[in-house]
Amino acid sequence: MLAVFLPMPGPAVAQRAGADPVVMTDGFLAAHPDVRWRAEGARAYERKDYPGALERFKRAAYHADKPSQAIIADMYWQGTGVAQDRAMAYVWMDIAAERLYPDFLAQREFYWARLDDTQRKDAVARGQAVFAEYGDDAAKPRLEEMLRRGARTMTGSRVGFIGNLDIIPYTGPLAGTGMTIRGDQYYDRKYWQPQHYWRMQDAVWQVPRKGRVDVGDVQPLKAGEGE
């Protein structure tokens, strides 16, 4: 399995997704369910709570999270936390590859080449309903509404200037560190304005992972590995 698909601990998940771990307070995660539920899924996976991990990854996938969709595909392919179903694995990887991110496209083709004719027909027949619920046409608007709702809580002027507001992370990955986060960093438009958020995602995932072209069983990474 390509390392890009593996469940990673919360900060590493955010970093690969384009979100700076510094901004990942509970308030940030509440407005970014894609990142939140992928991180929750990674933690469940590391605990070997595979059914719980799958449920959490599906919540992230419901909010247009392509790496979570790819992880779900692998779980169906391997039969991890769910009955093995390689036709459904292809369906999920096809959705993950919807934006033409190279790693996901490569894995989709790997799956397709290993399905027999019956499985391919099954994937095509069953895929329509999954696409209707989890494809970008349905899922992106859900996340965009969450981003807009979170943005409406901003402190600052009507033109978006936040100034030197300090946010103290009482919760989230930096809780108890004594660190503060500048308002202009926390409220950077790339995290809150949908068009910039999708652009950031594209910039991260359009670049293939270097040095990882082999395919094998899924293994959870420790923080800092594979970055």
Side-chain angles (χ1 to χ4, degrees):
M1 168 52 68
L2 294 172
V4 70
F5 303 146
L6 304 182
M8 295 180 284
V13 168
Q15 196 166 48
R16 175 61 173 159
D20 186 337
V22 168
V23 304
M24 287 185 57
T25 65
D26 277 2
F28 182 91
L29 292 174
H32 295 77
D34 54 334
V35 176
R36 173 193 175 186
W37 290 111
R38 179 151 38 103
E40 292 284 347
R43 285 191 283 271
Y45 196 102
E46 289 173 343
R47 295 193 304 269
K48 301 187 185 303
D49 175 13
Y50 300 125
L54 183 63
E55 187 271 334
R56 289 163 174 82
F57 288 132
K58 283 187 175 180
R59 292 190 185 190
Y62 189 72
H63 292 90
D65 191 60
K66 292 304 178 192
S68 287
Q69 292 164 1
I71 295 168
I72 293 166
D74 181 73
M75 295 181 78
Y76 274 102
W77 189 263
Q78 304 289 347
T80 304
V82 67
Q84 187 179 64
D85 186 339
R86 294 196 161 177
M88 186 55 64
Y90 175 82
V91 169
W92 278 103
M93 195 61 73
D94 195 26
I95 297 173
E98 186 178 11
R99 296 178 206 155
L100 307 182
Y101 296 155
D103 287 322
F104 301 157
L105 280 171
Q107 195 69 4
R108 183 190 69 182
E109 297 311 303
F110 173 84
Y111 283 2
W112 185 255
R114 284 154 181 79
L115 297 181
D116 59 31
D117 288 342
T118 299
Q119 289 172 319
R120 289 179 178 181
K121 291 176 182 177
D122 189 29
V124 172
R126 296 163 66 197
Q128 300 303 313
V130 184
F131 252 100
E133 185 171 5
Y134 292 93
D136 274 352
D137 285 349
K140 271 188 168 184
R142 295 186 193 113
L143 183 61
E144 289 171 359
E145 176 56 29
M146 297 294 288
L147 296 179
R148 294 188 186 99
R149 191 180 306 169
R152 287 196 291 269
T153 68
M154 290 184 185
T155 300
S157 75
R158 292 183 180 275
V159 296
F161 177 69
I162 303 300
N164 293 318
L165 170 70
D166 285 330
I167 299 167
I168 302 173
Y170 293 106
T171 58
L174 294 178
T177 64
M179 294 182 63
T180 61
I181 306 165
R182 294 195 326 272
D184 61 342
Q185 180 183 18
Y186 184 85
Y187 289 118
D188 191 306
R189 66 183 183 178
K190 69 184 179 182
Y191 300 138
W192 301 96
Q193 294 182 17
Q195 69 272 27
H196 294 285
Y197 192 73
W198 300 127
R199 195 175 301 156
M200 177 180 67
Q201 296 291 314
D202 289 346
V204 171
W205 295 100
Q206 285 288 359
V207 180
R209 299 279 277 191
K210 295 181 179 178
R212 297 297 184 92
V213 296
D214 57 303
V215 178
D217 291 339
V218 63
Q219 295 291 333
L221 295 182
K222 296 179 181 178
E225 291 182 354
E227 296 180 6

